[in-house]
Every structure is written in C-alpha cells, then in structure tokens.
Amino acid sequence: MDFAPMSPLGMFLYAGPVSKVVMALLLAAAVWTWVLIIDGVFVLVRLSKALDRARAGGDIGVLWPIAAAASEASHAELPDETPHLKRERVLQQMNRAAREFMLDAEGGLPVLAVVASAGPFIGLFGTVWGIMSSFSGIAQTQDTSLAVVAPGIADALAATAYGLAAAIPAAIGYNRMGMAFGDLREKLSRYVVTYASSIAQTTESPQGG
C-alpha cells in the first residue's frame, strides 16, 4: 500500500477529489494572505516615511491627495466666511481625503479578516468530508482495519492543516497590521490638523497685512 508523503504536496496529491478542491482553495488563500501581508508591510513603511518627511516640512510624496484636497479647499472663497470657518472647512476636506486615502491603503485588511475567519471552517468541511469517507469505506468493505480508514482520516487531517496554514497567518497579519494602520491613522489625523491650521494662517495673513 502506498502512503502519502508527509509534505503539503504529498498530502494534496494523495487526497480525494473533494479534499483536493478544499486544499486548493486553502492553498490559494494562504498564498494570497502572504501577498497581502508583504504588500501591507511595504505600504506601512512607505506611508510612515512619507508622513515623517511631511511632518518635518519635506516632500509630502504619496500623501499628495490630502495636500491637493487642502489646496483646493483653501483656494475656494466663500462669501462672509471667517478665518475660523475656513479653517474648519479645510480641515473637513482634508479629513475626508485622509479617510479615503487610508481606506485605499488598508485595502487588504478585509480580505485577511475573511481568510482568518473562514479558513478554519473550510478546513473543517474537509475534515468532516474525510471522516465521512472513512465511515463510507467501513460500510462498503465491512472492515474496520486501519488500511480502510487511514485514507479518509489522512484527508481530514490534511484539510485541517491547510485550513490552519491559511487562517493563522491571516489572523496574525490582520491584528498586527490593523494596529499599525490605527497608529498611522492617528498620526495622520494630527498632521492634518496642523497642516490645516498652517494653511488657514497662510491665507489669512495677506488680509491681515
């Protein structure tokens, strides 16, 4: 009797058709999870550096949509608008642009959440199917030997392993990156307030002179 090698590829090749579909889905989810995690880390590093440069008075870099929203709002002249109201309007426009900017930057987090929550259940489906196959084999052969139940049990455990391999990195990545994006969002919010105040003072000073 041939036994499945103790490797992800070996377990996949020796699995049944349904288990192969489950494992393929989970493997694709695991690969996509790591792609999103690597991309999310790259985005976090890039945005953090851009925000540090902007707060130091340097080039805003990738934060240009927020600065563009501030420039558009500051150049719009409304009748009977006080400097305080103008500052609030610029601040609202920048906050709206910042929220949209961060939503785009955090685009992979919802996918990680879905994989983290659904991965174990997809693996559980494969587990249940493998156990059902084992019982079906017992019923057909009227034999309870290990040779009869082993293939189904192997499929069940392999599907469970694939599910955990997809869900665990997704859960860790979602939690860690979620906290990192939260910290970045707070820093960006403080920068927006400072930037809006500086623009309001700049546009107000010529009138005061």
Side-chain angles (χ1 to χ4, degrees), residues 46-153:
R46 185 177 60 175
L47 293 184
S48 297
K49 290 182 177 179
L51 184 56
D52 290 339
R53 287 195 303 267
R55 294 171 67 182
D59 183 24
I60 59 174
V62 295
L63 300 177
W64 67 266
I66 302 175
S71 177
E72 180 183 356
S74 63
H75 285 87
E77 297 294 339
L78 299 182
D80 300 328
E81 185 180 44
T82 64
H84 174 73
L85 291 178
K86 185 171 186 177
R87 176 186 177 278
E88 293 298 321
R89 180 168 56 82
V90 172
L91 182 60
Q92 290 179 2
Q93 192 76 7
M94 290 187 68
N95 281 329
R96 187 179 302 110
R99 285 194 298 269
E100 294 176 356
F101 181 83
M102 290 304 299
L103 285 176
D104 290 338
E106 300 171 358
L109 286 181
V111 179
L112 292 179
V114 171
V115 174
S117 59
F121 292 101
I122 298 176
L124 181 60
F125 171 78
T127 303
V128 173
W129 187 268
I131 295 175
M132 290 171 57
S133 299
S134 297
F135 283 113
S136 176
I138 293 174
Q140 291 176 3
T141 61
Q142 300 296 319
D143 187 1
T144 59
S145 65
L146 185 60
V148 174
V149 299
I153 297 298

Side-chain angles (χ1 to χ4, degrees), residues 11 19 22-30 33 114-127 155-171:
M11 290 186 293
S19 297
V22 172
M23 292 180 192
L25 290 175
L26 292 173
L27 180 61
T33 292
V114 171
V115 174
S117 59
F121 292 101
I122 298 176
L124 181 60
F125 171 78
T127 303
D155 287 1
L157 297 178
T160 303
Y162 270 74
L164 294 177
I168 292 176

Side-chain angles (χ1 to χ4, degrees), residues 172-193:
I172 295 176
Y174 175 78
N175 290 327
R176 297 294 296 178
M177 291 173 56
M179 290 188 294
F181 274 113
D183 294 339
L184 185 63
R185 194 182 299 111
E186 291 182 5
K187 293 179 182 179
L188 182 60
S189 178
R190 290 194 294 267
Y191 168 73
V192 164
V193 173

Side-chain angles (χ1 to χ4, degrees), residues 19-44:
S19 297
K20 281 184 177 179
V21 173
V22 172
M23 292 180 192
L25 290 175
L26 292 173
L27 180 61
V31 172
W32 187 236
T33 292
W34 281 109
V35 170
L36 292 177
I37 289 175
I38 294 173
D39 180 70
V41 171
F42 175 76
V43 170
L44 281 169

